[in-house]
Amino acid sequence: KALALAGLCASVFGGMACVARPLGGYIGDRFGKSGGFTGRVRWLFLVLFGEGVLLMLFSQARTIAMAIPALMLFGLFVHMAAGATFAVVPFVNRRVLGSVAGIVGAGGNAGAVLSGFLFKMEGVSWTTALFVLGVVVTVGSFSSLLIGEQREEADDARASAPMPALADAT
């Protein structure tokens, strides 16, 4: 019976992706409709920040009654962050969309590998490793706000640049 309950809890985390990723993208689109690119980035920041805080909370859970809800909320934010990320990616730079998407995907894989090393370090408990990852995600969430600032600076530069002269066709 306990094994079946554990399996059910684990499946909910993975199954949540079917609903929460599209939800994260949908909410990102709603933020984009009202706040443009900056709105999308703000939503990405919010879900990443929440993901980090909830991971720290999960790492400190001492009972199963605390751990399961914390894990479920954390999972919700993880999957919504994936959707929010890809609500932002197409608007970073349309001319190099493939490169941007590739870098985002590779960055996620690199983060997963580096996180794995944290769990292999001698003397670092799982509780500590999860808490450190929560801190890294929470602090790192602020870097997402730089995406909007960089894009706005680029847009301003393009707007103030003189239009190129058209070649005379005659």
Side-chain angles (χ1 to χ4, degrees):
K1 186 172 180 175
L3 185 59
L5 180 60
L8 176 65
C9 291
S11 70
V12 169
F13 183 85
M16 197 181 305
C18 296
V19 174
R21 284 184 186 197
L23 179 63
Y26 175 78
I27 295 171
D29 289 343
R30 300 281 56 108
F31 270 68
K33 190 170 187 171
S34 64
F37 183 76
T38 302
R40 291 173 184 274
V41 170
R42 286 185 183 145
W43 169 242
L44 177 60
F45 163 75
L46 289 172
V47 291
L48 287 173
F49 187 84
E51 177 184 332
V53 169
L54 288 163
L55 182 52
M56 289 186 286
L57 178 70
F58 172 70
S59 77
Q60 301 304 302
R62 299 292 176 240
T63 66
I64 196 78
M66 287 175 52
I68 297 299
L71 181 64
M72 295 305 168
L73 280 173
F74 166 67
L76 177 68
F77 275 75
V78 166
H79 295 305
M80 284 195 311
T85 298
F86 288 98
V88 169
V89 165
F91 301 98
V92 172
N93 188 329
R94 292 177 197 256
R95 290 183 311 226
V96 291
L97 175 58
S99 297
V100 172
I103 291 167
V104 168
N109 292 335
V113 169
L114 291 174
S115 297
F117 287 126
L118 183 61
F119 287 96
K120 291 290 187 182
M121 289 178 66
E122 199 167 313
V124 177
S125 69
W126 278 60
T127 300
T128 302
L130 289 169
F131 189 83
V132 167
L133 286 175
V135 169
V136 168
V137 172
T138 303
V139 171
S141 68
F142 287 94
S143 68
S144 66
L145 297 173
L146 298 174
I147 299 167
E149 290 179 17
Q150 293 294 326
R151 174 130 184 287
E152 288 172 6
E153 288 174 12
D155 288 347
D156 291 345
R158 280 193 290 270
S160 62
M163 292 293 291
L166 296 175
D168 188 49
T170 56

